[in-house]
Amino acid sequence: MLETGLARRIAPGRWREWRTLTWLNPYVRIALLLLSLRVTLSLFAVVLSFALPLLPPCAAATSVRQAHAAGLGFAVLGVWQRNDACAYEHIADQGYQAGTSDIAFFPLFPLAMRVMGTLLGGTLTLGGLVVSSLAYIAAALGLYRLLEEDFNPAVARRAIGYLTAFPTAFFFFAPYTEALFLALAVWLLYAARRGAWGYAALLAILVGLTRAQGSLCALPLAWEFVRQWRQSGKARPPLLAAVVPALPIAALAIFWSYGRFSFGISPLDGQRFWGMQTHTPWTVLTASWRQITARGDAIEALNLAALCLAGLMLLVGLRRLPFSYICYAAPQLLLLSVRQNAHTPLMSTSRLVLVLFPVFVVLALLITGKRTRLLWLAGSGGLLLWLLAAYCYGAFVA
């Protein structure tokens, strides 16, 4: 009897061939690794909650109806209810309200939190944690697939490792938008680079409703359309491909109009309530350095280091990365370099650079030796645990 190719691969004694040939195993390993990390970080937070006197949830931010302030509820859920996470939960619970800066927070994540929380018995905090965790698994799987094709599996694995161990990477598992935004952006770029413009259209709308920076995804989408038009010969991209780059901007415009007509303020006005202003990059960098030297601000030093690292990696990557990667990351990095907060100039920069995945691709191309990789991951992972402890304590990390 003739054996099929699949039967030969799963026959006894052929397990090594199965592991080598199957496309599924790398993705399963990534998913299991990230699920294990989710559990590890949660256990770390639980231990902290019992070992240290931590501040109550949402102590200095928007109040929420479901504040898990004591006992096991605080250990598992309340320690994650900090800063922006409280605002997203407030919106998920009560919607946008007049007279607040809620409109600065885009709607897709709180909507997903509301849906997931309802499915999980009405616990919105748990819903947000699950959404972020699943979104980061989706982001890592999409990033592996993208980099495997554009580079090779080794580069893909290293990039995901450097990203996951970055000092602020625990925000991928907190009720914040980083994981959802990265997942949508990575799969959007993957779909566009492979000409799947129907999927790209849906993802483009969703990424524009996740964060204001989503509108900047119009640039890599436009570049991909032009690139494919030039290379296609007679088989031109479909008409939909010409429309897709405008969709993230259209999504932003719709939410912007909603804020203006419903509450009289736009998302940008909401951010100005927090003291956000726009200046030249050198003005912002100078103000950040003065903050560090005058006050010994370690978090601001991390913000400045993250911004400088991202800028350096993108410069190095100009000749090493597909140009659509540069179109994705460079405008967002420029936006980070011109925004200044009245409290700390580069507030939240170390968190916001997380979604600039091309930065970590360049790191994966540069840091290849085993010893160097271990040193980088150990140092970065140590900072991650320190910052997570500060976050759980109630400090504003990013």
Side-chain angles (χ1 to χ4, degrees), residues 86 88 124 129 133 146 290 319 328 349 356:
C86 301
Y88 284 117
L124 295 177
L129 291 171
S133 299
L146 180 68
R290 289 175 178 170
R319 293 188 177 183
Y328 167 77
T349 297
L356 305 184

Side-chain angles (χ1 to χ4, degrees), residues 3-362:
E3 252 184 324
T4 65
L6 179 59
R8 286 197 301 272
R9 290 175 192 168
I10 63 176
R14 304 301 295 273
W15 176 240
R16 175 176 294 182
E17 182 180 356
W18 167 254
R19 289 181 60 192
T20 302
L21 295 179
T22 181
W23 63 270
L24 183 61
N25 273 338
Y27 301 98
V28 171
R29 288 197 296 270
I30 290 171
L32 291 176
L33 174 64
L34 296 181
L35 285 173
S36 300
L37 182 60
R38 162 78 272 179
V39 173
T40 301
L41 294 179
S42 294
L43 289 176
F44 182 76
V46 169
V47 171
L48 284 175
S49 70
F50 287 109
L52 298 174
L54 305 184
L55 294 177
C58 300
T62 304
S63 61
V64 296
R65 182 168 56 87
Q66 299 177 329
H68 306 277
L72 187 60
F74 175 71
V76 176
L77 300 175
V79 292
W80 297 96
Q81 289 182 298
R82 307 293 186 191
N83 304 311
D84 289 4
C86 301
Y88 284 117
E89 185 167 337
H90 179 74
I91 296 168
D93 184 31
Q94 302 182 31
Y96 294 100
Q97 296 181 341
T100 70
S101 59
D102 286 353
I103 200 67
F105 299 92
F106 278 56
L108 187 61
F109 183 76
L111 176 60
M113 177 187 284
R114 177 63 177 265
V115 172
M116 184 61 71
T118 301
L119 294 175
L120 295 173
T123 306
L124 295 177
T125 310
L126 180 60
L129 291 171
V130 171
V131 168
S132 291
S133 299
L134 294 179
Y136 189 52
I137 292 174
L141 297 181
L143 188 57
Y144 184 89
R145 191 164 186 174
L146 180 68
L147 299 183
E148 181 185 34
E149 295 188 13
D150 285 345
F151 297 94
N152 57 63
V155 170
R157 288 193 296 270
R158 290 198 299 271
I160 293 171
Y162 296 148
L163 176 60
T164 305
F166 194 71
T168 53
F170 64 88
F171 281 107
F172 284 133
F173 300 100
Y176 278 65
T177 61
E178 270 63 37
L180 182 60
F181 182 85
L182 181 62
L184 293 171
V186 166
W187 283 104
L188 171 61
L189 189 57
Y190 180 84
R193 283 182 61 77
R194 278 136 195 86
W197 292 104
Y199 291 109
L202 174 60
L203 293 169
I205 295 171
L206 294 177
V207 81
L209 293 174
T210 305
R211 282 161 65 160
Q213 293 90 329
S215 62
L216 298 176
C217 289
L219 296 175
L221 291 173
W223 168 256
E224 282 301 320
F225 170 72
V226 172
R227 181 183 68 84
Q228 292 174 31
W229 182 276
R230 290 177 175 176
Q231 296 177 356
S232 59
K234 294 182 179 180
R236 299 296 187 186
L239 179 61
L240 177 62
V243 178
V244 171
L247 294 180
I249 300 174
L252 172 63
I254 291 171
F255 184 60
W256 188 288
S257 301
Y258 166 75
R260 293 293 294 180
F261 285 107
S262 299
F263 308 109
I265 61 172
S266 69
L268 180 59
D269 296 327
Q271 292 190 13
R272 285 175 180 159
F273 289 158
W274 309 331
M276 291 291 183
Q277 298 178 348
T278 303
H279 296 285
T280 59
W282 49 91
T283 300
V284 177
L285 293 177
T286 300
S288 177
W289 181 251
R290 289 175 178 170
Q291 172 91 5
I292 296 167
T293 55
R295 302 185 183 181
D297 191 334
I299 300 299
E300 183 66 11
L302 179 63
N303 288 329
L304 180 59
L307 184 68
C308 293
L309 174 66
L312 178 61
M313 291 301 99
L314 289 185
L315 286 175
V316 173
L318 284 176
R319 293 188 177 183
R320 301 187 180 210
L321 299 175
F323 190 64
S324 56
Y325 287 31
I326 302 296
C327 290
Y328 167 77
Q332 294 191 57
L333 184 63
L334 177 61
L335 182 62
L336 291 178
S337 67
V338 299
R339 56 188 287 278
Q340 180 176 334
N341 185 272
H343 181 59
T344 57
L346 291 175
M347 178 179 284
S348 301
T349 297
S350 59
R351 169 172 61 88
L352 296 173
V353 299
L354 283 173
V355 300
L356 305 184
F357 72 86
V359 170
F360 300 93
V361 178
V362 178

